[in-house]
Amino acid sequence: LYIAKKVAPLIPHIPITIAGKNASQHLQQVCSRQTNIRLVNSPSQEQMRQLIATAHIHLMITFQGTGVKLKLINALYQGRFIIANDLMLAGTSLASACVAGDTPQKIARQCQELMEVPFTAEDIEKRKKILAPWDIHTLSQQLISILFA
């Protein structure tokens, strides 16, 4: 709702896709009133993978500062630019892989700027280095060493 109500109206020329499971009736109504929003309700895993892979920007906003957000990790591995608020990044070392956005105005400004910037091979290499500690094999080895130490 936050993106649909607060951010989308500030950037009516930028198309926004909101995807997720079981969108509320209220979200569906809000999205239907915004000409730049497309709501994809309960996409399949393949549809979601494709949406993540083809989106130029991912808006990762949360209002709960607990735990690592799997959506963020997934978007970092499969997506391009990510604009995230402080709570989304809390407790992670992933801020350098994202663009900060904590107000609707700042998020809108970042979207406008990033729409003009290509996501390059250099960006991919930088992200791989940042994500190295989050690699499933690395995490598995750490868990094994903790459990069997």
mmCIF file of all heavy atoms in Angstrom, residues 64-99:
data_model
loop_
_atom_site.group_PDB
_atom_site.id
_atom_site.type_symbol
_atom_site.label_atom_id
_atom_site.label_comp_id
_atom_site.label_asym_id
_atom_site.label_seq_id
_atom_site.Cartn_x
_atom_site.Cartn_y
_atom_site.Cartn_z
ATOM 1 N N GLN A 64 8.963 -3.376 9.440
ATOM 2 C CA GLN A 64 9.364 -4.287 10.515
ATOM 3 C C GLN A 64 10.873 -4.475 10.417
ATOM 4 O O GLN A 64 11.370 -4.970 9.413
ATOM 5 C CB GLN A 64 8.681 -5.645 10.373
ATOM 6 C CG GLN A 64 7.180 -5.580 10.495
ATOM 7 C CD GLN A 64 6.550 -6.930 10.269
ATOM 8 O OE1 GLN A 64 6.956 -7.681 9.388
ATOM 9 N NE2 GLN A 64 5.550 -7.244 11.066
ATOM 10 N N GLY A 65 11.573 -4.082 11.458
ATOM 11 C CA GLY A 65 13.025 -4.127 11.407
ATOM 12 C C GLY A 65 13.644 -5.394 11.937
ATOM 13 O O GLY A 65 14.811 -5.405 12.295
ATOM 14 N N THR A 66 12.898 -6.475 11.972
ATOM 15 C CA THR A 66 13.437 -7.712 12.528
ATOM 16 C C THR A 66 13.787 -8.698 11.427
ATOM 17 O O THR A 66 13.047 -8.855 10.465
ATOM 18 C CB THR A 66 12.416 -8.381 13.479
ATOM 19 O OG1 THR A 66 11.204 -8.603 12.761
ATOM 20 C CG2 THR A 66 12.135 -7.499 14.668
ATOM 21 N N GLY A 67 14.936 -9.336 11.582
ATOM 22 C CA GLY A 67 15.335 -10.417 10.691
ATOM 23 C C GLY A 67 15.783 -9.966 9.318
ATOM 24 O O GLY A 67 15.518 -8.853 8.880
ATOM 25 N N VAL A 68 16.456 -10.867 8.647
ATOM 26 C CA VAL A 68 16.895 -10.639 7.281
ATOM 27 C C VAL A 68 15.703 -10.936 6.377
ATOM 28 O O VAL A 68 15.013 -11.938 6.540
ATOM 29 C CB VAL A 68 18.079 -11.567 6.921
ATOM 30 C CG1 VAL A 68 18.444 -11.422 5.459
ATOM 31 C CG2 VAL A 68 19.271 -11.255 7.804
ATOM 32 N N LYS A 69 15.468 -10.082 5.451
ATOM 33 C CA LYS A 69 14.324 -10.225 4.557
ATOM 34 C C LYS A 69 14.724 -11.062 3.345
ATOM 35 O O LYS A 69 15.573 -10.678 2.554
ATOM 36 C CB LYS A 69 13.831 -8.855 4.109
ATOM 37 C CG LYS A 69 13.592 -7.853 5.236
ATOM 38 C CD LYS A 69 12.568 -8.330 6.234
ATOM 39 C CE LYS A 69 12.239 -7.319 7.296
ATOM 40 N NZ LYS A 69 13.240 -7.124 8.320
ATOM 41 N N LEU A 70 14.091 -12.224 3.222
ATOM 42 C CA LEU A 70 14.412 -13.118 2.116
ATOM 43 C C LEU A 70 14.090 -12.486 0.762
ATOM 44 O O LEU A 70 14.764 -12.761 -0.225
ATOM 45 C CB LEU A 70 13.689 -14.447 2.279
ATOM 46 C CG LEU A 70 14.131 -15.274 3.485
ATOM 47 C CD1 LEU A 70 13.336 -16.565 3.569
ATOM 48 C CD2 LEU A 70 15.623 -15.567 3.436
ATOM 49 N N LYS A 71 13.072 -11.638 0.729
ATOM 50 C CA LYS A 71 12.748 -10.950 -0.522
ATOM 51 C C LYS A 71 13.927 -10.095 -0.984
ATOM 52 O O LYS A 71 14.211 -10.009 -2.169
ATOM 53 C CB LYS A 71 11.520 -10.060 -0.334
ATOM 54 C CG LYS A 71 10.239 -10.823 -0.148
ATOM 55 C CD LYS A 71 9.092 -9.870 0.095
ATOM 56 C CE LYS A 71 7.826 -10.636 0.413
ATOM 57 N NZ LYS A 71 6.700 -9.751 0.648
ATOM 58 N N LEU A 72 14.594 -9.460 -0.033
ATOM 59 C CA LEU A 72 15.748 -8.631 -0.366
ATOM 60 C C LEU A 72 16.876 -9.489 -0.925
ATOM 61 O O LEU A 72 17.457 -9.167 -1.966
ATOM 62 C CB LEU A 72 16.229 -7.854 0.857
ATOM 63 C CG LEU A 72 17.518 -7.054 0.692
ATOM 64 C CD1 LEU A 72 17.366 -5.987 -0.383
ATOM 65 C CD2 LEU A 72 17.929 -6.438 2.017
ATOM 66 N N ILE A 73 17.180 -10.588 -0.249
ATOM 67 C CA ILE A 73 18.251 -11.484 -0.709
ATOM 68 C C ILE A 73 17.932 -11.998 -2.111
ATOM 69 O O ILE A 73 18.786 -11.994 -2.999
ATOM 70 C CB ILE A 73 18.440 -12.671 0.269
ATOM 71 C CG1 ILE A 73 18.776 -12.199 1.666
ATOM 72 C CG2 ILE A 73 19.476 -13.657 -0.259
ATOM 73 C CD1 ILE A 73 20.105 -11.544 1.813
ATOM 74 N N ASN A 74 16.699 -12.418 -2.318
ATOM 75 C CA ASN A 74 16.283 -12.937 -3.619
ATOM 76 C C ASN A 74 16.447 -11.878 -4.706
ATOM 77 O O ASN A 74 16.978 -12.153 -5.792
ATOM 78 C CB ASN A 74 14.833 -13.416 -3.537
ATOM 79 C CG ASN A 74 14.424 -14.233 -4.733
ATOM 80 O OD1 ASN A 74 15.235 -14.856 -5.403
ATOM 81 N ND2 ASN A 74 13.133 -14.235 -5.010
ATOM 82 N N ALA A 75 15.998 -10.659 -4.432
ATOM 83 C CA ALA A 75 16.126 -9.581 -5.428
ATOM 84 C C ALA A 75 17.581 -9.240 -5.694
ATOM 85 O O ALA A 75 17.955 -8.939 -6.827
ATOM 86 C CB ALA A 75 15.357 -8.349 -4.966
ATOM 87 N N LEU A 76 18.417 -9.299 -4.666
ATOM 88 C CA LEU A 76 19.837 -9.019 -4.866
ATOM 89 C C LEU A 76 20.487 -10.072 -5.756
ATOM 90 O O LEU A 76 21.347 -9.757 -6.577
ATOM 91 C CB LEU A 76 20.567 -8.936 -3.526
ATOM 92 C CG LEU A 76 20.353 -7.640 -2.750
ATOM 93 C CD1 LEU A 76 20.828 -7.795 -1.318
ATOM 94 C CD2 LEU A 76 21.058 -6.481 -3.433
ATOM 95 N N TYR A 77 20.101 -11.314 -5.603
ATOM 96 C CA TYR A 77 20.676 -12.374 -6.431
ATOM 97 C C TYR A 77 20.139 -12.364 -7.858
ATOM 98 O O TYR A 77 20.862 -12.676 -8.796
ATOM 99 C CB TYR A 77 20.423 -13.755 -5.806
ATOM 100 C CG TYR A 77 21.513 -14.192 -4.868
ATOM 101 C CD1 TYR A 77 21.340 -14.120 -3.494
ATOM 102 C CD2 TYR A 77 22.728 -14.660 -5.348
ATOM 103 C CE1 TYR A 77 22.350 -14.512 -2.623
ATOM 104 C CE2 TYR A 77 23.742 -15.054 -4.492
ATOM 105 C CZ TYR A 77 23.542 -14.979 -3.138
ATOM 106 O OH TYR A 77 24.551 -15.367 -2.280
ATOM 107 N N GLN A 78 18.864 -12.014 -8.019
ATOM 108 C CA GLN A 78 18.237 -12.165 -9.331
ATOM 109 C C GLN A 78 17.918 -10.861 -10.047
ATOM 110 O O GLN A 78 17.630 -10.885 -11.246
ATOM 111 C CB GLN A 78 16.927 -12.942 -9.187
ATOM 112 C CG GLN A 78 17.120 -14.358 -8.694
ATOM 113 C CD GLN A 78 15.804 -15.098 -8.684
ATOM 114 O OE1 GLN A 78 15.056 -15.060 -9.663
ATOM 115 N NE2 GLN A 78 15.498 -15.765 -7.589
ATOM 116 N N GLY A 79 17.950 -9.742 -9.322
ATOM 117 C CA GLY A 79 17.466 -8.506 -9.899
ATOM 118 C C GLY A 79 18.541 -7.495 -10.213
ATOM 119 O O GLY A 79 19.735 -7.789 -10.185
ATOM 120 N N ARG A 80 18.092 -6.298 -10.486
ATOM 121 C CA ARG A 80 18.974 -5.190 -10.834
ATOM 122 C C ARG A 80 19.017 -4.207 -9.669
ATOM 123 O O ARG A 80 19.309 -4.602 -8.542
ATOM 124 C CB ARG A 80 18.495 -4.548 -12.138
ATOM 125 C CG ARG A 80 18.561 -5.528 -13.314
ATOM 126 C CD ARG A 80 18.067 -4.914 -14.586
ATOM 127 N NE ARG A 80 17.789 -5.967 -15.566
ATOM 128 C CZ ARG A 80 17.117 -5.782 -16.661
ATOM 129 N NH1 ARG A 80 16.652 -4.592 -16.970
ATOM 130 N NH2 ARG A 80 16.894 -6.784 -17.488
ATOM 131 N N PHE A 81 18.727 -2.935 -9.918
ATOM 132 C CA PHE A 81 18.815 -1.932 -8.857
ATOM 133 C C PHE A 81 17.778 -2.164 -7.765
ATOM 134 O O PHE A 81 16.654 -2.567 -8.049
ATOM 135 C CB PHE A 81 18.628 -0.525 -9.428
ATOM 136 C CG PHE A 81 19.738 -0.096 -10.330
ATOM 137 C CD1 PHE A 81 19.527 0.038 -11.692
ATOM 138 C CD2 PHE A 81 20.998 0.173 -9.828
ATOM 139 C CE1 PHE A 81 20.544 0.437 -12.540
ATOM 140 C CE2 PHE A 81 22.036 0.575 -10.666
ATOM 141 C CZ PHE A 81 21.801 0.702 -12.025
ATOM 142 N N ILE A 82 18.181 -1.865 -6.537
ATOM 143 C CA ILE A 82 17.276 -2.009 -5.394
ATOM 144 C C ILE A 82 17.303 -0.722 -4.590
ATOM 145 O O ILE A 82 18.369 -0.250 -4.201
ATOM 146 C CB ILE A 82 17.682 -3.199 -4.516
ATOM 147 C CG1 ILE A 82 17.502 -4.489 -5.315
ATOM 148 C CG2 ILE A 82 16.870 -3.218 -3.223
ATOM 149 C CD1 ILE A 82 18.024 -5.717 -4.671
ATOM 150 N N ILE A 83 16.123 -0.199 -4.360
ATOM 151 C CA ILE A 83 15.961 0.923 -3.444
ATOM 152 C C ILE A 83 15.331 0.336 -2.193
ATOM 153 O O ILE A 83 14.267 -0.295 -2.255
ATOM 154 C CB ILE A 83 15.067 2.021 -4.045
ATOM 155 C CG1 ILE A 83 15.688 2.573 -5.336
ATOM 156 C CG2 ILE A 83 14.835 3.139 -3.018
ATOM 157 C CD1 ILE A 83 14.793 3.531 -6.098
ATOM 158 N N ALA A 84 15.997 0.531 -1.057
ATOM 159 C CA ALA A 84 15.527 -0.060 0.194
ATOM 160 C C ALA A 84 15.540 0.975 1.313
ATOM 161 O O ALA A 84 16.394 1.862 1.330
ATOM 162 C CB ALA A 84 16.410 -1.246 0.574
ATOM 163 N N ASN A 85 14.618 0.813 2.242
ATOM 164 C CA ASN A 85 14.632 1.702 3.400
ATOM 165 C C ASN A 85 15.516 1.101 4.494
ATOM 166 O O ASN A 85 15.940 -0.061 4.423
ATOM 167 C CB ASN A 85 13.217 2.015 3.892
ATOM 168 C CG ASN A 85 12.478 0.819 4.462
ATOM 169 O OD1 ASN A 85 12.842 -0.332 4.247
ATOM 170 N ND2 ASN A 85 11.418 1.098 5.196
ATOM 171 N N ASP A 86 15.816 1.910 5.506
ATOM 172 C CA ASP A 86 16.727 1.486 6.579
ATOM 173 C C ASP A 86 16.269 0.215 7.273
ATOM 174 O O ASP A 86 17.084 -0.648 7.598
ATOM 175 C CB ASP A 86 16.893 2.604 7.612
ATOM 176 C CG ASP A 86 17.776 3.731 7.112
ATOM 177 O OD1 ASP A 86 18.511 3.513 6.126
ATOM 178 O OD2 ASP A 86 17.732 4.821 7.708
ATOM 179 N N LEU A 87 14.961 0.088 7.520
ATOM 180 C CA LEU A 87 14.475 -1.104 8.211
ATOM 181 C C LEU A 87 14.661 -2.369 7.379
ATOM 182 O O LEU A 87 14.883 -3.444 7.932
ATOM 183 C CB LEU A 87 13.006 -0.941 8.612
ATOM 184 C CG LEU A 87 12.748 -0.007 9.786
ATOM 185 C CD1 LEU A 87 11.247 0.168 10.022
ATOM 186 C CD2 LEU A 87 13.424 -0.518 11.050
ATOM 187 N N MET A 88 14.582 -2.248 6.071
ATOM 188 C CA MET A 88 14.818 -3.418 5.213
ATOM 189 C C MET A 88 16.263 -3.882 5.325
ATOM 190 O O MET A 88 16.562 -5.064 5.252
ATOM 191 C CB MET A 88 14.472 -3.078 3.758
ATOM 192 C CG MET A 88 14.686 -4.219 2.776
ATOM 193 S SD MET A 88 13.722 -5.716 3.092
ATOM 194 C CE MET A 88 12.129 -5.243 2.464
ATOM 195 N N LEU A 89 17.163 -2.942 5.530
ATOM 196 C CA LEU A 89 18.593 -3.265 5.573
ATOM 197 C C LEU A 89 19.111 -3.514 6.985
ATOM 198 O O LEU A 89 20.262 -3.918 7.151
ATOM 199 C CB LEU A 89 19.383 -2.133 4.922
ATOM 200 C CG LEU A 89 19.052 -1.892 3.446
ATOM 201 C CD1 LEU A 89 19.682 -0.602 2.969
ATOM 202 C CD2 LEU A 89 19.479 -3.071 2.601
ATOM 203 N N ALA A 90 18.282 -3.286 7.987
ATOM 204 C CA ALA A 90 18.713 -3.433 9.380
ATOM 205 C C ALA A 90 19.229 -4.845 9.643
ATOM 206 O O ALA A 90 18.610 -5.835 9.242
ATOM 207 C CB ALA A 90 17.555 -3.116 10.323
ATOM 208 N N GLY A 91 20.376 -4.926 10.292
ATOM 209 C CA GLY A 91 20.945 -6.217 10.663
ATOM 210 C C GLY A 91 21.623 -6.950 9.524
ATOM 211 O O GLY A 91 21.954 -8.126 9.653
ATOM 212 N N THR A 92 21.809 -6.281 8.394
ATOM 213 C CA THR A 92 22.492 -6.909 7.261
ATOM 214 C C THR A 92 23.738 -6.093 6.933
ATOM 215 O O THR A 92 23.919 -4.996 7.422
ATOM 216 C CB THR A 92 21.606 -6.958 6.003
ATOM 217 O OG1 THR A 92 21.522 -5.652 5.431
ATOM 218 C CG2 THR A 92 20.211 -7.473 6.306
ATOM 219 N N SER A 93 24.538 -6.652 6.063
ATOM 220 C CA SER A 93 25.700 -5.925 5.544
ATOM 221 C C SER A 93 25.471 -5.596 4.073
ATOM 222 O O SER A 93 26.405 -5.538 3.293
ATOM 223 C CB SER A 93 26.947 -6.796 5.700
ATOM 224 O OG SER A 93 26.748 -8.024 5.005
ATOM 225 N N LEU A 94 24.214 -5.369 3.731
ATOM 226 C CA LEU A 94 23.846 -5.259 2.321
ATOM 227 C C LEU A 94 23.559 -3.839 1.850
ATOM 228 O O LEU A 94 23.178 -3.640 0.696
ATOM 229 C CB LEU A 94 22.623 -6.149 2.059
ATOM 230 C CG LEU A 94 22.837 -7.633 2.367
ATOM 231 C CD1 LEU A 94 21.530 -8.391 2.273
ATOM 232 C CD2 LEU A 94 23.892 -8.216 1.454
ATOM 233 N N ALA A 95 23.760 -2.855 2.697
ATOM 234 C CA ALA A 95 23.442 -1.473 2.317
ATOM 235 C C ALA A 95 24.227 -1.015 1.094
ATOM 236 O O ALA A 95 23.699 -0.272 0.260
ATOM 237 C CB ALA A 95 23.695 -0.535 3.493
ATOM 238 N N SER A 96 25.462 -1.470 0.960
ATOM 239 C CA SER A 96 26.275 -1.030 -0.182
ATOM 240 C C SER A 96 25.788 -1.624 -1.508
ATOM 241 O O SER A 96 26.198 -1.173 -2.578
ATOM 242 C CB SER A 96 27.742 -1.368 0.044
ATOM 243 O OG SER A 96 27.918 -2.760 0.168
ATOM 244 N N ALA A 97 24.903 -2.607 -1.447
ATOM 245 C CA ALA A 97 24.347 -3.200 -2.663
ATOM 246 C C ALA A 97 23.022 -2.548 -3.053
ATOM 247 O O ALA A 97 22.430 -2.912 -4.067
ATOM 248 C CB ALA A 97 24.141 -4.702 -2.473
ATOM 249 N N CYS A 98 22.582 -1.592 -2.237
ATOM 250 C CA CYS A 98 21.280 -0.968 -2.451
ATOM 251 C C CYS A 98 21.410 0.549 -2.483
ATOM 252 O O CYS A 98 22.419 1.106 -2.083
ATOM 253 C CB CYS A 98 20.327 -1.362 -1.324
ATOM 254 S SG CYS A 98 20.081 -3.135 -1.148
ATOM 255 N N VAL A 99 20.356 1.184 -2.920
ATOM 256 C CA VAL A 99 20.246 2.639 -2.888
ATOM 257 C C VAL A 99 19.275 2.960 -1.760
ATOM 258 O O VAL A 99 18.208 2.341 -1.652
ATOM 259 C CB VAL A 99 19.723 3.179 -4.238
ATOM 260 C CG1 VAL A 99 19.497 4.667 -4.175
ATOM 261 C CG2 VAL A 99 20.684 2.814 -5.352
#
